[in-house]
Amino acid sequence: MSLSQVTRGDETELFLKGRVDGPAANELEVEVLAVIKTPARLLYVNLAEANFLCSAGIRVLLQYHRQMKAQGRQLLVSRTSPEIDQILELTGFRDTLVEKV
Amino acid sequence: MEFTLPNNPELPPVSSERLAEFGKSHSLAPKVMFALDHALNEHLQNVVDHSGARTASLRLQIRDGAVYVTVLDDGDDFDPLTASEPDLVGDPDARPIGGLGVHMMRKLTDSLAYRRTPAGNELEFVKRLE
């Protein structure tokens, strides 16, 4: 997986590309925690170029989605590839995590 | 295809590479490979994290219009199929997060079968080609 970050004002977007497997989920968690320490109000995770998402990756997204929501902030998936959309749908968390356009 | 790998963090990614080689050599459809890759990764990550196994042996076969993937680990007695199904209908902001891996394995394959053998835990994944 490769990961890049763009910050615009109080919004940060993480762009994940490739395979979000166990080690990549750990890497994602480190990046999310780093953003949470900033004043960012909204954290987007862009999965448009990801082609694999393991359950550990979903757990990271859900755990920090809930944590940020409790703080009056947001973590949302901004975009998905068709593969990632399928995985989020079958786990039942698609509607929770993916931003409604 | 058959191979045995040491149980360490490289087990899931190396197995995924072997599965990709197998799929390419048999011209398996992307959706079949996508499903098997995810299901196998979930199981092997559990083997790495929880089994205490020294090795895992994988066998990949095509027969009767389906792909059969069998994983034998020599770890502690554990049947992943006894895990309860996750709550998929409760409040999405409150329901427990656990159990997603086995749920994904079930949803992405046509059948899963576990048996404890003298050599360890054996889990068979079946994915139909159509």
Side-chain angles (χ1 to χ4, degrees), chain A residues 19 21-23 51-56 58-59 62-63 65-66 69 83-84 86-87 90-93 96, chain B residues 12-13 16 34 37-38 41-42 45 87-88 91-101 103-104 107-108:
Chain A
R19 188 176 176 88
D21 56 10
N51 55 20
F52 185 100
L53 180 62
C54 71
S55 63
I58 297 171
R59 279 195 293 275
L62 282 169
Q63 179 179 340
H65 168 85
R66 290 176 178 179
K69 187 173 183 179
E83 295 93 340
I84 300 302
Q86 179 187 346
I87 292 297
L90 73 84
T91 57
F93 286 106
T96 300
Chain B
S16 176
F34 176 78
D37 193 16
H38 272 84
N41 178 82
E42 291 298 331
Q45 194 62 55
D87 176 5
L88 298 180
D91 179 355
D93 286 324
R95 64 197 191 212
I97 296 174
L100 289 179
H103 174 72
M104 287 168 65
K107 287 290 184 182
L108 290 166

Side-chain angles (χ1 to χ4, degrees), chain B residues 46-65:
Chain B
N46 281 338
V47 171
V48 171
D49 293 341
H50 306 298
S51 73
R54 289 181 301 110
T55 63
S57 300
L58 283 80
R59 185 173 65 242
L60 315 177
Q61 297 175 301
I62 296 177
R63 63 174 194 271
D64 304 327

